[in-house]
Each structure stands twice: as C-alpha cells, then as structure tokens.
Amino acid sequence: YLEAKTHCSNPGCSGAGLKKCPACKQARYCGEPCQYAHWKVHKADCRRVSAELKAGVGASGKGVIKVDS
C-alpha cells in the first residue's frame, strides 16, 4: 500500500520512495543513488526542516506539542 502512494523525490525517477531522508524525514527516495543525485536541490529545504524539527517548530511555523509516551 505504501509503495503505491509514495514516489521517489528525485525528479525523473519512477521508483517507489520507501526510504525517508534521515535528516528531515520529508523527502523519500528509492535508494542512495537517487538521494545523492537529488541532494543539491534538496539540501536547503532539508536543513531548514531539520532545524525546525530540532527547535520543535512544525512546517506551519507553529509549535509542535510533544507528548511523552
């Protein structure tokens, strides 16, 4: 089911994006070659999103509520 819904973030690749970017968890790739090929494009967004995640700020710019489990 996930494979049908998720596509590789590298333009031009038709593979399933089953592996998330380890830093931002937003982009998905079919494998390391596509992740490396797309890095120059993805780098700025990745660093911004990663910094927001570390600061506890969501994509909307609002704070994220952290729940202890």
Side-chain angles (χ1 to χ4, degrees), residues 35-52:
Q35 182 181 2
Y36 288 126
H38 190 239
W39 176 243
K40 287 182 182 180
V41 175
H42 175 63
K43 180 171 38 174
D45 284 338
C46 182
R47 290 186 174 159
R48 179 185 52 79
V49 171
S50 297
E52 289 174 357

